[in-house]
Amino acid sequence: MLDRTTTELKKYRTYIDGKWVDAASGKTFQTFDPYTGEPWALIPKCEKADVDIAVEAAARAFDTGPWCSLTQTARGKALRRIAALIEKHAEHLAEIEVRDNGKLISEMVAQTRYLPEWFYYYGGLADKIQGAVVPVDRPEHFNYTLREPVGVCAFITPWNSPLMLAGWKLAPALAAGCTVVIKPSEYTSASLLEFMRLVIADADIPPGVINVVTGYGAVAGEALVTHPKVAKIAFTGGTATGARVNELASRSFKKVSLELGGKSPNIVFDDCIIDDAVSGAISGIFAATGQTCIAGSRLLVQETIHDVFVEKLVAMARQARLGDPSKAETQVGPVTTPPQYEKILSYIDIAKAEGARCVLGGGPATKEEGGGRYFVKPTIFLDVDNRMRIAQEEVFGPVLSVIRFKDEDDAVRIANDIAYGLGAGVWTQSVKRAHGVAKRIKAGTVWVNTYRAVSFLMPFGGYKASGLGRENGMEAIDGYLQTKSVWINNGPGGGNPFIMKTAS
Ligand code: NAD
């Protein structure tokens, strides 16, 4: 049970090269409990000097340490040890995340209990990574390919799902044989540090294979992105930050994967099961207080059922229980960070000024309403035009824009009329329409008659400004591997040394 009674700040150290250390400067920063708005722990403020130490440790572990001589089967076993330790500590890890991030305990326990699956899955995949013998077009040659790890990987993660998003990267990277340095968000570093203490430090992983640098994006983040010994950046965060990371990384030709923002359409056709779609619309925008990249923040409703649907939607959303995220009965928690709270409120003002009609919420939630310092009421806007800013820009909060559409073509046109392409929902009972619309939507994931479902088995990532590359599934491991082609000449040398050796 989460304990908020101690007022003394817990002091964390970070984990670099298998040791618990303070930042080289000795500096720290406070991390806050979003529910109370009070600081509860101190986190080392890592800067360039710490990043240099961490990357050097990861580079040593990659080139010379015991990790690089492990067989792929032994690497797989290491991942399975990690999985078992997460299972053992799932409840505690969930509570820390609730404290630091304000996510609901019910969602967090589900997340930390599911996270081991990533390590079991990629643990199983570790010794199935293999090259091929290639029947090259000359008889005297024997040719094959090797699938090799890219090297030191830097992970930069956001505050909204700190552990899960680090795990999505860590499991395939370790299975591929990489070593890593992780920079969590400055707002939510504690759960990753607890993960290092309870899971990694006990999982018999050699020093330097997994390192953590806690600190600010512009300092520790940029030092990582520009470090010459980092081979790959796996970034999850906002689209503007992703663009900056991509630009910096491209200067030294680092491989980059980006999981960025979204403004996902959740499309309700008049042949849907209305109660299921209402529930799917609510889960799309009010789960996780709307602070999820895949939020179904544009609800497209067919005009023939618009009024009936909206009435049911507003009635259900009005019932949402706001409150302490550590209580099992709470349904909507606080906004995680003060700047995010301000941003959500400013978008509510923008929507009102643009002429959208607010039919629920529309401002901060008071203590009497179950809220507190950083709570925003579940908010629904009707009469939204898809070209309004409230429909085009990511709010990342519990604010839903409802947009009417006429028919299937109109729905697809509106859904795709956006810079982003992360997710989309389709609610219909027609099989033909489900497959047809799923194909026409420009997004990395389309859910039909469900929303916000994820699995270690299903690739996840964005079209358009929502990102580059894929996490999860078989595809994710390719992002941590590179292919080497080996040519063995078993015949005579010679030939004309001044021309390329082509077949015949
Ligand atoms: P953010 O972009 O502000 O920060 C993300 C991370 O980048 C943090 O660790 C931050 O410290 C770091 N950072 C900031 N500036 C940096 C710089 N110049 N160089 C290197 N690192 C830097 O994002 P956020 O506010 O933490 O998270 C919310 C955003 O994340 C939303 O846009 C959301 O859609 C997105 N997100 C996307 C996915 C996905 O899978 N597509 C998942 C979760 C969140």
PDB file of all heavy atoms in Angstrom, residues 235-240 242 258-264 292-295 394 396 419-423 461-467:
ATOM      1  N   PHE A 235      13.856   6.847 -29.018  1.00  0.00           N
ATOM      2  CA  PHE A 235      13.249   7.981 -28.325  1.00  0.00           C
ATOM      3  C   PHE A 235      11.733   7.846 -28.295  1.00  0.00           C
ATOM      4  O   PHE A 235      11.115   7.533 -29.317  1.00  0.00           O
ATOM      5  CB  PHE A 235      13.623   9.282 -29.060  1.00  0.00           C
ATOM      6  CG  PHE A 235      12.903  10.503 -28.556  1.00  0.00           C
ATOM      7  CD1 PHE A 235      13.424  11.244 -27.492  1.00  0.00           C
ATOM      8  CD2 PHE A 235      11.704  10.919 -29.127  1.00  0.00           C
ATOM      9  CE1 PHE A 235      12.749  12.364 -27.011  1.00  0.00           C
ATOM     10  CE2 PHE A 235      11.031  12.046 -28.646  1.00  0.00           C
ATOM     11  CZ  PHE A 235      11.559  12.764 -27.587  1.00  0.00           C
ATOM     12  N   THR A 236      11.129   8.104 -27.143  1.00  0.00           N
ATOM     13  CA  THR A 236       9.676   8.276 -27.073  1.00  0.00           C
ATOM     14  C   THR A 236       9.401   9.611 -26.403  1.00  0.00           C
ATOM     15  O   THR A 236       9.941   9.891 -25.328  1.00  0.00           O
ATOM     16  CB  THR A 236       9.003   7.144 -26.260  1.00  0.00           C
ATOM     17  OG1 THR A 236       9.322   5.899 -26.867  1.00  0.00           O
ATOM     18  CG2 THR A 236       7.491   7.306 -26.245  1.00  0.00           C
ATOM     19  N   GLY A 237       8.579  10.424 -27.034  1.00  0.00           N
ATOM     20  CA  GLY A 237       8.269  11.736 -26.460  1.00  0.00           C
ATOM     21  C   GLY A 237       7.510  12.573 -27.460  1.00  0.00           C
ATOM     22  O   GLY A 237       6.913  12.056 -28.403  1.00  0.00           O
ATOM     23  N   GLY A 238       7.548  13.883 -27.263  1.00  0.00           N
ATOM     24  CA  GLY A 238       6.797  14.791 -28.113  1.00  0.00           C
ATOM     25  C   GLY A 238       7.407  14.910 -29.505  1.00  0.00           C
ATOM     26  O   GLY A 238       8.602  14.652 -29.704  1.00  0.00           O
ATOM     27  N   THR A 239       6.583  15.323 -30.459  1.00  0.00           N
ATOM     28  CA  THR A 239       7.042  15.405 -31.846  1.00  0.00           C
ATOM     29  C   THR A 239       8.116  16.483 -32.025  1.00  0.00           C
ATOM     30  O   THR A 239       9.100  16.273 -32.748  1.00  0.00           O
ATOM     31  CB  THR A 239       5.827  15.626 -32.771  1.00  0.00           C
ATOM     32  OG1 THR A 239       5.018  14.434 -32.697  1.00  0.00           O
ATOM     33  CG2 THR A 239       6.226  15.835 -34.225  1.00  0.00           C
ATOM     34  N   ALA A 240       7.984  17.622 -31.340  1.00  0.00           N
ATOM     35  CA  ALA A 240       8.990  18.684 -31.485  1.00  0.00           C
ATOM     36  C   ALA A 240      10.330  18.210 -30.926  1.00  0.00           C
ATOM     37  O   ALA A 240      11.391  18.410 -31.550  1.00  0.00           O
ATOM     38  CB  ALA A 240       8.523  19.944 -30.770  1.00  0.00           C
ATOM     39  N   GLY A 242      11.264  15.121 -30.646  1.00  0.00           N
ATOM     40  CA  GLY A 242      11.715  14.060 -31.549  1.00  0.00           C
ATOM     41  C   GLY A 242      12.420  14.624 -32.772  1.00  0.00           C
ATOM     42  O   GLY A 242      13.429  14.080 -33.236  1.00  0.00           O
ATOM     43  N   LEU A 258      11.774   6.646 -33.410  1.00  0.00           N
ATOM     44  CA  LEU A 258      11.032   7.719 -32.747  1.00  0.00           C
ATOM     45  C   LEU A 258       9.583   7.289 -32.548  1.00  0.00           C
ATOM     46  O   LEU A 258       8.915   6.895 -33.506  1.00  0.00           O
ATOM     47  CB  LEU A 258      11.048   8.990 -33.609  1.00  0.00           C
ATOM     48  CG  LEU A 258      12.406   9.588 -33.976  1.00  0.00           C
ATOM     49  CD1 LEU A 258      12.237  10.669 -35.039  1.00  0.00           C
ATOM     50  CD2 LEU A 258      13.097  10.174 -32.747  1.00  0.00           C
ATOM     51  N   GLU A 259       9.135   7.343 -31.308  1.00  0.00           N
ATOM     52  CA  GLU A 259       7.710   7.123 -30.992  1.00  0.00           C
ATOM     53  C   GLU A 259       7.184   8.462 -30.513  1.00  0.00           C
ATOM     54  O   GLU A 259       7.537   8.906 -29.416  1.00  0.00           O
ATOM     55  CB  GLU A 259       7.565   6.068 -29.891  1.00  0.00           C
ATOM     56  CG  GLU A 259       8.038   4.683 -30.271  1.00  0.00           C
ATOM     57  CD  GLU A 259       7.141   3.990 -31.265  1.00  0.00           C
ATOM     58  OE1 GLU A 259       6.053   4.509 -31.578  1.00  0.00           O
ATOM     59  OE2 GLU A 259       7.537   2.922 -31.760  1.00  0.00           O
ATOM     60  N   LEU A 260       6.347   9.107 -31.315  1.00  0.00           N
ATOM     61  CA  LEU A 260       6.014  10.511 -31.041  1.00  0.00           C
ATOM     62  C   LEU A 260       4.527  10.706 -30.723  1.00  0.00           C
ATOM     63  O   LEU A 260       3.863   9.788 -30.299  1.00  0.00           O
ATOM     64  CB  LEU A 260       6.466  11.365 -32.233  1.00  0.00           C
ATOM     65  CG  LEU A 260       7.935  11.156 -32.631  1.00  0.00           C
ATOM     66  CD1 LEU A 260       8.280  11.967 -33.877  1.00  0.00           C
ATOM     67  CD2 LEU A 260       8.883  11.506 -31.487  1.00  0.00           C
ATOM     68  N   GLY A 261       4.057  11.904 -30.942  1.00  0.00           N
ATOM     69  CA  GLY A 261       2.703  12.262 -30.516  1.00  0.00           C
ATOM     70  C   GLY A 261       1.615  11.749 -31.441  1.00  0.00           C
ATOM     71  O   GLY A 261       1.889  11.112 -32.474  1.00  0.00           O
ATOM     72  N   GLY A 262       0.381  12.032 -31.067  1.00  0.00           N
ATOM     73  CA  GLY A 262      -0.740  11.587 -31.883  1.00  0.00           C
ATOM     74  C   GLY A 262      -1.963  12.466 -31.695  1.00  0.00           C
ATOM     75  O   GLY A 262      -2.017  13.307 -30.784  1.00  0.00           O
ATOM     76  N   LYS A 263      -2.909  12.309 -32.585  1.00  0.00           N
ATOM     77  CA  LYS A 263      -4.218  12.966 -32.468  1.00  0.00           C
ATOM     78  C   LYS A 263      -5.178  12.007 -33.144  1.00  0.00           C
ATOM     79  O   LYS A 263      -5.675  12.235 -34.260  1.00  0.00           O
ATOM     80  CB  LYS A 263      -4.182  14.330 -33.177  1.00  0.00           C
ATOM     81  CG  LYS A 263      -5.389  15.186 -32.866  1.00  0.00           C
ATOM     82  CD  LYS A 263      -5.287  15.878 -31.526  1.00  0.00           C
ATOM     83  CE  LYS A 263      -6.587  16.529 -31.147  1.00  0.00           C
ATOM     84  NZ  LYS A 263      -6.539  17.152 -29.819  1.00  0.00           N
ATOM     85  N   SER A 264      -5.387  10.887 -32.470  1.00  0.00           N
ATOM     86  CA  SER A 264      -5.983   9.732 -33.146  1.00  0.00           C
ATOM     87  C   SER A 264      -7.494   9.852 -33.306  1.00  0.00           C
ATOM     88  O   SER A 264      -8.200  10.260 -32.380  1.00  0.00           O
ATOM     89  CB  SER A 264      -5.637   8.464 -32.385  1.00  0.00           C
ATOM     90  OG  SER A 264      -4.230   8.337 -32.335  1.00  0.00           O
ATOM     91  N   THR A 292      -1.989   9.914 -22.924  1.00  0.00           N
ATOM     92  CA  THR A 292      -1.463   8.756 -23.639  1.00  0.00           C
ATOM     93  C   THR A 292      -1.341   9.123 -25.116  1.00  0.00           C
ATOM     94  O   THR A 292      -2.212   9.804 -25.671  1.00  0.00           O
ATOM     95  CB  THR A 292      -2.347   7.495 -23.392  1.00  0.00           C
ATOM     96  OG1 THR A 292      -2.180   6.607 -24.475  1.00  0.00           O
ATOM     97  CG2 THR A 292      -3.810   7.815 -23.246  1.00  0.00           C
ATOM     98  N   CYS A 293      -0.234   8.669 -25.697  1.00  0.00           N
ATOM     99  CA  CYS A 293       0.046   9.044 -27.087  1.00  0.00           C
ATOM    100  C   CYS A 293      -1.047   8.552 -28.024  1.00  0.00           C
ATOM    101  O   CYS A 293      -1.292   9.143 -29.060  1.00  0.00           O
ATOM    102  CB  CYS A 293       1.401   8.484 -27.501  1.00  0.00           C
ATOM    103  SG  CYS A 293       1.533   6.715 -27.225  1.00  0.00           S
ATOM    104  N   ILE A 294      -1.718   7.440 -27.635  1.00  0.00           N
ATOM    105  CA  ILE A 294      -2.737   6.861 -28.513  1.00  0.00           C
ATOM    106  C   ILE A 294      -4.146   7.332 -28.151  1.00  0.00           C
ATOM    107  O   ILE A 294      -5.134   6.736 -28.593  1.00  0.00           O
ATOM    108  CB  ILE A 294      -2.671   5.312 -28.498  1.00  0.00           C
ATOM    109  CG1 ILE A 294      -2.613   4.802 -27.063  1.00  0.00           C
ATOM    110  CG2 ILE A 294      -1.523   4.817 -29.334  1.00  0.00           C
ATOM    111  CD1 ILE A 294      -2.491   3.296 -26.929  1.00  0.00           C
ATOM    112  N   ALA A 295      -4.241   8.391 -27.355  1.00  0.00           N
ATOM    113  CA  ALA A 295      -5.564   8.900 -26.967  1.00  0.00           C
ATOM    114  C   ALA A 295      -6.442   9.084 -28.211  1.00  0.00           C
ATOM    115  O   ALA A 295      -6.006   9.673 -29.207  1.00  0.00           O
ATOM    116  CB  ALA A 295      -5.416  10.235 -26.240  1.00  0.00           C
ATOM    117  N   GLU A 394      -2.021  18.087 -30.462  1.00  0.00           N
ATOM    118  CA  GLU A 394      -2.094  17.136 -29.358  1.00  0.00           C
ATOM    119  C   GLU A 394      -2.249  17.882 -28.033  1.00  0.00           C
ATOM    120  O   GLU A 394      -1.426  18.734 -27.704  1.00  0.00           O
ATOM    121  CB  GLU A 394      -0.817  16.280 -29.330  1.00  0.00           C
ATOM    122  CG  GLU A 394      -0.899  15.164 -28.318  1.00  0.00           C
ATOM    123  CD  GLU A 394       0.406  14.376 -28.193  1.00  0.00           C
ATOM    124  OE1 GLU A 394       1.477  15.004 -28.081  1.00  0.00           O
ATOM    125  OE2 GLU A 394       0.342  13.140 -28.183  1.00  0.00           O
ATOM    126  N   PHE A 396      -2.969  16.048 -24.991  1.00  0.00           N
ATOM    127  CA  PHE A 396      -2.399  15.130 -24.008  1.00  0.00           C
ATOM    128  C   PHE A 396      -3.070  15.314 -22.646  1.00  0.00           C
ATOM    129  O   PHE A 396      -2.422  15.506 -21.615  1.00  0.00           O
ATOM    130  CB  PHE A 396      -0.886  15.361 -23.909  1.00  0.00           C
ATOM    131  CG  PHE A 396      -0.114  14.074 -23.715  1.00  0.00           C
ATOM    132  CD1 PHE A 396      -0.199  13.058 -24.640  1.00  0.00           C
ATOM    133  CD2 PHE A 396       0.713  13.885 -22.617  1.00  0.00           C
ATOM    134  CE1 PHE A 396       0.504  11.876 -24.468  1.00  0.00           C
ATOM    135  CE2 PHE A 396       1.418  12.704 -22.430  1.00  0.00           C
ATOM    136  CZ  PHE A 396       1.310  11.707 -23.365  1.00  0.00           C
ATOM    137  N   ALA A 419      -1.604  15.812 -39.266  1.00  0.00           N
ATOM    138  CA  ALA A 419      -0.167  15.554 -39.440  1.00  0.00           C
ATOM    139  C   ALA A 419       0.247  14.214 -38.824  1.00  0.00           C
ATOM    140  O   ALA A 419       1.254  13.627 -39.211  1.00  0.00           O
ATOM    141  CB  ALA A 419       0.628  16.686 -38.787  1.00  0.00           C
ATOM    142  N   TYR A 420      -0.526  13.762 -37.826  1.00  0.00           N
ATOM    143  CA  TYR A 420      -0.141  12.553 -37.078  1.00  0.00           C
ATOM    144  C   TYR A 420      -0.701  11.278 -37.696  1.00  0.00           C
ATOM    145  O   TYR A 420      -1.603  11.345 -38.535  1.00  0.00           O
ATOM    146  CB  TYR A 420      -0.673  12.652 -35.648  1.00  0.00           C
ATOM    147  CG  TYR A 420      -0.073  13.780 -34.848  1.00  0.00           C
ATOM    148  CD1 TYR A 420      -0.821  14.908 -34.527  1.00  0.00           C
ATOM    149  CD2 TYR A 420       1.243  13.705 -34.396  1.00  0.00           C
ATOM    150  CE1 TYR A 420      -0.269  15.937 -33.777  1.00  0.00           C
ATOM    151  CE2 TYR A 420       1.793  14.732 -33.651  1.00  0.00           C
ATOM    152  CZ  TYR A 420       1.033  15.847 -33.338  1.00  0.00           C
ATOM    153  OH  TYR A 420       1.574  16.861 -32.598  1.00  0.00           O
ATOM    154  N   GLY A 421      -0.198  10.136 -37.228  1.00  0.00           N
ATOM    155  CA  GLY A 421      -0.716   8.851 -37.705  1.00  0.00           C
ATOM    156  C   GLY A 421      -0.332   7.724 -36.759  1.00  0.00           C
ATOM    157  O   GLY A 421       0.317   6.765 -37.146  1.00  0.00           O
ATOM    158  N   LEU A 422      -0.738   7.854 -35.484  1.00  0.00           N
ATOM    159  CA  LEU A 422      -0.338   6.818 -34.525  1.00  0.00           C
ATOM    160  C   LEU A 422      -1.388   5.709 -34.416  1.00  0.00           C
ATOM    161  O   LEU A 422      -1.102   4.548 -34.655  1.00  0.00           O
ATOM    162  CB  LEU A 422      -0.078   7.464 -33.154  1.00  0.00           C
ATOM    163  CG  LEU A 422       0.679   6.586 -32.154  1.00  0.00           C
ATOM    164  CD1 LEU A 422       2.011   6.108 -32.722  1.00  0.00           C
ATOM    165  CD2 LEU A 422       0.906   7.320 -30.842  1.00  0.00           C
ATOM    166  N   GLY A 423      -2.605   6.073 -34.016  1.00  0.00           N
ATOM    167  CA  GLY A 423      -3.641   5.054 -33.847  1.00  0.00           C
ATOM    168  C   GLY A 423      -4.954   5.508 -34.443  1.00  0.00           C
ATOM    169  O   GLY A 423      -5.102   6.669 -34.850  1.00  0.00           O
ATOM    170  N   GLY A 461       3.836   1.676 -33.615  1.00  0.00           N
ATOM    171  CA  GLY A 461       4.611   2.838 -34.052  1.00  0.00           C
ATOM    172  C   GLY A 461       3.764   3.728 -34.926  1.00  0.00           C
ATOM    173  O   GLY A 461       2.588   3.452 -35.163  1.00  0.00           O
ATOM    174  N   GLY A 462       4.376   4.797 -35.391  1.00  0.00           N
ATOM    175  CA  GLY A 462       3.592   5.814 -36.059  1.00  0.00           C
ATOM    176  C   GLY A 462       3.828   5.937 -37.555  1.00  0.00           C
ATOM    177  O   GLY A 462       4.918   5.659 -38.055  1.00  0.00           O
ATOM    178  N   TYR A 463       2.766   6.345 -38.276  1.00  0.00           N
ATOM    179  CA  TYR A 463       2.887   6.865 -39.634  1.00  0.00           C
ATOM    180  C   TYR A 463       3.131   8.369 -39.483  1.00  0.00           C
ATOM    181  O   TYR A 463       2.895   8.941 -38.436  1.00  0.00           O
ATOM    182  CB  TYR A 463       1.587   6.667 -40.415  1.00  0.00           C
ATOM    183  CG  TYR A 463       1.349   5.277 -40.999  1.00  0.00           C
ATOM    184  CD1 TYR A 463       1.893   4.139 -40.423  1.00  0.00           C
ATOM    185  CD2 TYR A 463       0.555   5.123 -42.125  1.00  0.00           C
ATOM    186  CE1 TYR A 463       1.651   2.882 -40.963  1.00  0.00           C
ATOM    187  CE2 TYR A 463       0.306   3.865 -42.671  1.00  0.00           C
ATOM    188  CZ  TYR A 463       0.863   2.742 -42.077  1.00  0.00           C
ATOM    189  OH  TYR A 463       0.609   1.500 -42.611  1.00  0.00           O
ATOM    190  N   LYS A 464       3.529   9.013 -40.540  1.00  0.00           N
ATOM    191  CA  LYS A 464       3.662  10.470 -40.629  1.00  0.00           C
ATOM    192  C   LYS A 464       4.410  11.048 -39.415  1.00  0.00           C
ATOM    193  O   LYS A 464       5.425  10.473 -38.992  1.00  0.00           O
ATOM    194  CB  LYS A 464       2.265  11.089 -40.815  1.00  0.00           C
ATOM    195  CG  LYS A 464       1.538  10.531 -42.048  1.00  0.00           C
ATOM    196  CD  LYS A 464       0.335  11.364 -42.428  1.00  0.00           C
ATOM    197  CE  LYS A 464      -0.899  11.039 -41.636  1.00  0.00           C
ATOM    198  NZ  LYS A 464      -2.092  11.765 -42.064  1.00  0.00           N
ATOM    199  N   ALA A 465       3.916  12.136 -38.831  1.00  0.00           N
ATOM    200  CA  ALA A 465       4.672  12.801 -37.750  1.00  0.00           C
ATOM    201  C   ALA A 465       4.608  12.055 -36.419  1.00  0.00           C
ATOM    202  O   ALA A 465       5.088  12.551 -35.411  1.00  0.00           O
ATOM    203  CB  ALA A 465       4.151  14.226 -37.566  1.00  0.00           C
ATOM    204  N   SER A 466       4.020  10.856 -36.417  1.00  0.00           N
ATOM    205  CA  SER A 466       3.969  10.088 -35.171  1.00  0.00           C
ATOM    206  C   SER A 466       5.176   9.185 -34.983  1.00  0.00           C
ATOM    207  O   SER A 466       5.268   8.511 -33.951  1.00  0.00           O
ATOM    208  CB  SER A 466       2.675   9.269 -35.096  1.00  0.00           C
ATOM    209  OG  SER A 466       1.574  10.133 -34.918  1.00  0.00           O
ATOM    210  N   GLY A 467       6.104   9.178 -35.927  1.00  0.00           N
ATOM    211  CA  GLY A 467       7.338   8.465 -35.621  1.00  0.00           C
ATOM    212  C   GLY A 467       7.992   7.707 -36.745  1.00  0.00           C
ATOM    213  O   GLY A 467       7.525   7.706 -37.885  1.00  0.00           O
TER     214      GLY A 467
END
